[in-house]
Amino acid sequence: MTTKVTSTPVPPTRRRGTEAARARQAFWLLLPTLIAIALVAGYPLYRTIFFALFEADLTTPDQRTFLGLGNFWFTTEEGVALGFLQDPKWWEAVKNTMLFTVVSVFLETVFGMIIALVVNSAFKGRAFLRTAMLVPWAIPTVVSAQMWAYMYNDSFGLVGRGLLGGQALLANTDTAIWALIAVDVWKTTSFMALLILAGLQSLPGDMYEAADMDGASKWTQFWRLTLPLLRPALLVALVFRSLDALRVFDIMYVMLGANNAAATSMTGYARQAMIDNSMLGMGSAVAVAIFLIIMVIVVVYVTAFRVKFD
Amino acid sequence: MKKAIAILGLTTALAGASQAGAVTVTLACGTVGQELQLCKEGAARWAKKTGNTVKIFESPNLTNDRLGLYQQQLAAKSSDIDVYQLDVIWPGLLSQHFVDLKGKIPASEVNTHFKGIVAANTVGGKLVSMPWFTDAGLLYYRTDLLKKYGYNAPPKTWAEMATMARKIQSGEQKTNKGFAGFVFQGKNYEGLTCNALEWVSSFGGGTIVDDSGKVTINNAKAALALDTAAGWIRDISPRGVTTYGEEEARGIFQSGNAAFMRNWPYAWALGQSDDSKVKGKIGVAPLPAGVGGKPAATLGGWNLGVSQYSKNQAAAIDLVRYLTGPAEQKIRAIEGAYNPTITTLYQDKAILAKNPFFGSLYSVFTNAVARPSGPTKSKYNQVSQAFSTAVSSVLNGNTKGQAAVAKLNTDLARIKGRGW
């Protein structure tokens, strides 16, 4: 389809001149931002990828030896496996992080949707409820994690002693992961509800009036109108939450301690390698791997669901 | 006239000396409990004596966080901090960044400290840091409950302890459902390494890695020690003991809910404080011995080292000498129950009056077992993690001692790689 543009004839050269000037201007205006991004994001990323290829100690980064991909996969002549991809603990961390992400994001989305629908309907005290539901999210994660660690304690905790009668959920990584999911759901459901609520409020009210006129039940209205129209907002919220959950660190670190955190979260594993064990090269390699995993997942998300961020 | 000239001469000499030497030294102190206060006061006394100034750098509370921060400072060759407070397991890790104090502090002065602690601070013949205060695992018990159930002495072996704990626990649980026989540090972290090393060593199972760097953990005695400890859980220890650190254990003991506790000396002063429910009812003894072994306590403690990147090394060394000296250690022992590292202070009346158990447990502090941080050097943390993870899996019932030490042997070989 071609439509002929009949605008006021402007000398083509002048026009190109203004556009070029504008482009130049835009470039200069963007330059500080680009420099800032290069400094605060680009350089650390470059250094991380750089060190991932070396064997280096955190205290003496200058004395490094080139390893290539040895930090990822390396077997010595004696048959000792040294790459982190050969470490069963890493795969345990990946498995636990994935389980944590899938289950917690799913539950948060379902609960968040229910809460958002309730808070969206008109009733007395709605404003108060909207503020109150944000309380768990407003508490710093480190604080709420410590609070929950006490509640899970088997000899004086409200949950550990009171509800479960002296069970120590956090003792084993197999049971601890579910305890951690519960904490994350408690904490982040309200954030999810908030994002969904924002989406709900942008839906036109007269559409529901029309649906009521046509005799559609509330159930049908939800499935045929609300959900499809909410899809863009919901997907953006899902991407945000999934990213956050994949990078989870503080809950594990506070509630389980450094060693068990390394077996339950990828970031905990990276921190242990880099800081506790002062293996700068190995830690960087793990960080690069986490970066790649998250990037792949985001690309899959965005292409499969055609998420639009604008 | 002669006197006046002498005084005048002395004054000018002093003024000249202080002018030439008046520098600012930065000291990184720990901030747990009374530590910071005592550190500040000690530094102020030295500053007044020498005319120098001391700046205090407040370090993070957790050992691991502190190490991360120090490593960054040292890697950047920063001269911001002159004197660092070092954990007893760090010299192997950080030795290259510190001044060799051998020869800079007279040998006669160094020799007044416990030999074992000086050895733990010496890496490849280099004295990395000076001992400041020491720590070793102790068995705390309730004197009133032991008496109530007909015992007149603390247990000598782990088996004896388990029997006593079981009897007291079953008696006390009739009125107090949350009562536990024995609490210790069972969480998977450095504290568990310390606890489990005591079990293994007290059963005659060695020290994980021996002084020559050979992995020795794969033996029947070590396996038996771990199985014994696993047997305590749900029997005399609560299930959740595998999530407890020092403070969780102390919380339970100090609120009157446990008969026995394994902890460091710091718990004494707090247990005797006014808000403690067990004030005046606490006894302290060496940890029990295992089958066919002798009691063992893991060596802890902190030391002071001078950064190689310090711009005022002479003054910094003098500060270390002063703070680790007998006068300062005595003040710290009396005011904060910090265990001196100078042997003769264990006969000091003023110290013993305040900490009666110091004298009788002298042998515990002198014979404490060092964690294998010396031979494993910069890989110590990995060794410790592998060890505590293996112990944790036995305590949680996921594996048996025999299989755990065999797997640990493989893990340690992997960590050792081409050498420590």
Side-chain angles (χ1 to χ4, degrees):
Chain A
M1 196 166 69
T2 49
T3 37
K4 201 145 194 165
V5 184
T6 50
S7 54
T8 45
V10 176
T13 45
R14 269 268 316 266
R15 192 172 187 178
R16 217 174 292 140
T18 12
E19 268 180 8
R22 275 190 189 159
R24 265 202 307 278
Q25 199 181 17
F27 172 76
W28 287 111
L29 285 172
L30 277 176
L31 194 63
T33 317
L34 290 174
I35 291 172
I37 290 175
L39 284 179
V40 302
Y43 183 69
L45 188 64
Y46 155 73
R47 287 294 274 183
T48 309
I49 294 172
F50 173 83
F51 274 115
L53 303 175
F54 287 87
E55 183 179 4
D57 191 285
L58 187 63
T59 58
T60 48
D62 303 337
Q63 301 160 18
R64 51 178 179 254
T65 43
F66 185 73
L67 266 189
L69 295 177
N71 282 321
F72 295 87
W73 195 278
F74 186 73
T75 311
T76 60
E77 303 86 70
E78 298 92 41
V80 183
L82 293 181
F84 78 87
L85 292 174
Q86 289 150 289
D87 183 0
K89 207 165 153 192
W90 159 255
W91 293 109
E92 201 187 332
V94 172
K95 189 198 86 189
N96 281 325
T97 311
M98 293 301 163
L99 178 72
F100 176 86
T101 304
V102 170
V103 178
S104 67
V105 172
F106 173 76
L107 291 176
E108 281 155 23
T109 313
V110 172
F111 293 145
M113 176 73 87
I114 294 170
I115 293 174
L117 287 171
V118 170
V119 178
N120 194 39
S121 53
F123 60 92
K124 221 179 152 195
R126 186 171 70 154
F128 171 75
L129 207 67
R130 272 185 202 173
T131 322
M133 76 179 196
L134 279 175
V135 169
W137 189 61
I139 300 173
T141 312
V142 181
V143 177
S144 62
Q146 187 59 56
M147 191 174 87
W148 276 91
Y150 285 138
M151 294 211 284
Y152 279 127
N153 188 295
D154 66 315
S155 47
F156 55 78
L158 195 67
V159 179
R161 174 117 221 127
L163 286 178
L164 302 167
Q167 280 185 55
L169 282 186
L170 300 179
N172 245 330
T173 24
D174 301 339
T175 49
I177 192 77
W178 297 100
L180 294 168
I181 288 172
V183 175
D184 196 65
V185 169
W186 171 82
K187 184 180 161 55
T188 335
T189 296
S190 57
F191 176 67
M192 202 67 167
L194 198 72
L195 287 180
I196 297 174
L197 183 63
L200 279 178
Q201 296 199 321
S202 69
L203 300 184
D206 47 3
M207 180 184 73
Y208 290 99
E209 280 168 32
D212 278 335
M213 294 278 242
D214 292 340
S217 70
K218 289 286 177 204
W219 191 244
T220 319
Q221 284 181 26
F222 173 76
W223 285 107
R224 306 296 285 269
L225 297 176
T226 313
L227 208 54
L229 285 172
L230 207 55
R231 211 183 77 121
L234 202 57
L235 285 174
V236 170
L238 267 178
V239 172
F240 279 169
R241 273 307 303 145
S242 307
L243 284 186
D244 266 356
L246 285 167
R247 295 176 311 174
V248 67
F249 173 76
D250 28 19
I251 305 182
M252 276 77 169
Y253 192 75
V254 173
M255 293 180 66
L256 302 180
N259 286 358
N260 281 353
T264 40
S265 75
M266 300 190 294
T267 48
Y269 185 92
R271 186 204 173 275
Q272 188 175 50
M274 180 127 47
I275 309 291
D276 285 345
N277 300 341
S278 71
M279 296 190 292
L280 181 57
M282 178 78 82
S284 302
V286 177
V288 170
I290 297 173
F291 172 72
L292 291 176
I293 290 174
I294 294 183
M295 201 174 77
V296 166
I297 290 176
V298 171
V299 168
V300 168
Y301 246 124
V302 172
T303 49
F305 296 110
R306 293 197 200 88
V307 181
K308 287 200 183 70
F309 283 101
D310 49 7
Chain B
M1 189 63 193
K2 238 181 185 174
K3 210 174 168 187
I5 291 175
I7 290 172
L8 196 74
L10 205 65
T11 327
T12 32
L14 271 177
S18 67
Q19 231 162 27
V23 290
T24 303
V25 178
T26 306
L27 166 67
C29 295
T31 52
V32 183
Q34 296 163 276
E35 252 189 312
L36 185 63
Q37 190 56 32
L38 287 172
C39 188
K40 273 184 182 163
E41 288 169 10
R45 280 189 285 268
W46 175 80
K48 207 174 158 197
K49 200 181 128 206
T50 58
N52 294 319
T53 319
V54 181
K55 257 190 8 204
I56 302 287
F57 176 85
E58 294 181 22
S59 310
N61 251 347
L62 287 174
T63 308
N64 283 359
D65 296 350
R66 218 185 278 187
L67 180 61
L69 182 79
Y70 286 2
Q71 281 174 324
Q72 282 170 32
Q73 288 275 332
L74 293 168
K77 298 190 176 12
S78 159
S79 61
D80 292 348
I81 300 175
D82 301 289
V83 178
Y84 285 86
Q85 184 182 330
L86 303 178
D87 197 339
V88 72
I89 49 174
W90 293 350
L93 200 66
L94 304 172
S95 62
Q96 57 200 336
H97 299 286
F98 285 86
V99 173
D100 185 3
L101 296 172
K102 194 167 265 176
K104 301 221 165 70
I105 292 180
S108 58
E109 232 171 283
V110 176
N111 291 338
T112 59
H113 296 265
F114 285 131
K115 271 204 186 71
I117 306 176
V118 173
N121 280 305
T122 311
V123 179
K126 177 178 172 183
L127 184 60
V128 180
S129 50
M130 279 294 283
W132 197 22
F133 60 93
T134 184
D135 251 347
L138 297 171
L139 182 74
Y140 288 79
Y141 62 93
R142 288 278 300 276
T143 47
D144 57 328
L145 291 179
L146 253 61
K147 214 169 163 192
K148 185 175 166 189
Y149 290 89
Y151 299 107
N152 46 22
K156 289 268 184 293
T157 65
W158 290 113
E160 236 178 273
M161 192 226 39
T163 316
M164 288 162 81
R166 208 173 291 123
K167 188 169 168 191
I168 300 174
Q169 180 179 281
S170 64
E172 289 298 302
Q173 278 188 348
K174 283 172 197 148
T175 50
N176 177 5
K177 273 199 90 176
F179 192 88
F182 178 48
V183 286
F184 55 95
Q185 290 82 50
K187 181 178 173 170
N188 183 359
Y189 79 122
E190 187 62 31
L192 180 58
T193 296
C194 297
N195 279 248
L197 179 62
E198 283 158 0
W199 309 332
V200 169
S201 181
S202 73
F203 274 77
T207 56
I208 311 167
V209 175
D210 71 9
D211 286 341
S212 69
K214 197 173 150 251
V215 178
T216 58
I217 190 65
N218 193 6
N219 65 69
K221 286 173 178 171
L224 177 63
L226 299 188
D227 284 332
T228 306
W232 298 332
I233 290 167
R234 284 212 172 92
D235 179 14
I236 53 170
S237 300
R239 175 70 187 86
V241 77
T242 55
T243 61
Y244 296 173
E246 281 89 355
E247 287 296 87
E248 285 86 356
R250 185 174 69 84
I252 289 175
F253 186 78
Q254 203 167 311
S255 56
N257 289 325
F260 294 99
M261 168 178 73
R262 183 270 175 212
N263 217 324
W264 305 96
Y266 88 102
W268 168 261
L270 294 160
Q272 294 296 353
S273 62
D274 287 331
D275 59 353
S276 164
K277 283 193 180 163
V278 291
K279 187 186 177 186
K281 301 174 187 167
I282 313 175
V284 187
L287 286 161
V291 180
K294 53 179 194 184
T298 297
L299 177 70
W302 291 82
N303 316 288
L304 292 175
V306 176
S307 163
Q308 205 144 55
Y309 317 112
S310 161
K311 293 207 173 81
N312 307 305
Q313 287 189 7
I317 291 169
D318 193 56
L319 173 62
V320 168
R321 240 180 110 174
Y322 175 79
L323 286 176
T324 57
E328 195 57 35
Q329 289 210 4
K330 183 174 171 176
I331 296 173
R332 294 172 58 84
I334 291 171
E335 286 178 16
Y338 288 101
N339 281 49
T341 58
I342 296 173
T343 48
T344 50
L345 288 177
Y346 285 82
Q347 279 119 49
D348 190 288
K349 290 216 167 63
I351 293 177
L352 292 180
K354 193 83 201 239
N355 309 287
F357 66 93
F358 273 20
S360 57
L361 298 184
Y362 176 76
S363 65
V364 172
F365 301 120
T366 43
N367 298 323
V369 185
R371 284 163 274 173
S373 58
T376 57
K377 299 195 187 83
S378 65
K379 289 178 181 169
Y380 170 70
N381 262 328
Q382 283 169 270
V383 171
S384 174
Q385 281 153 24
F387 179 62
S388 67
T389 302
V391 176
S392 179
S393 70
V394 177
L395 292 183
N396 282 317
N398 297 337
T399 174
K400 287 273 173 262
Q402 189 69 59
V405 291
K407 181 177 177 290
L408 183 58
N409 198 42
T410 323
D411 288 348
L412 291 180
R414 178 172 175 273
I415 291 165
K416 186 176 180 182
R418 295 202 174 115
W420 302 116

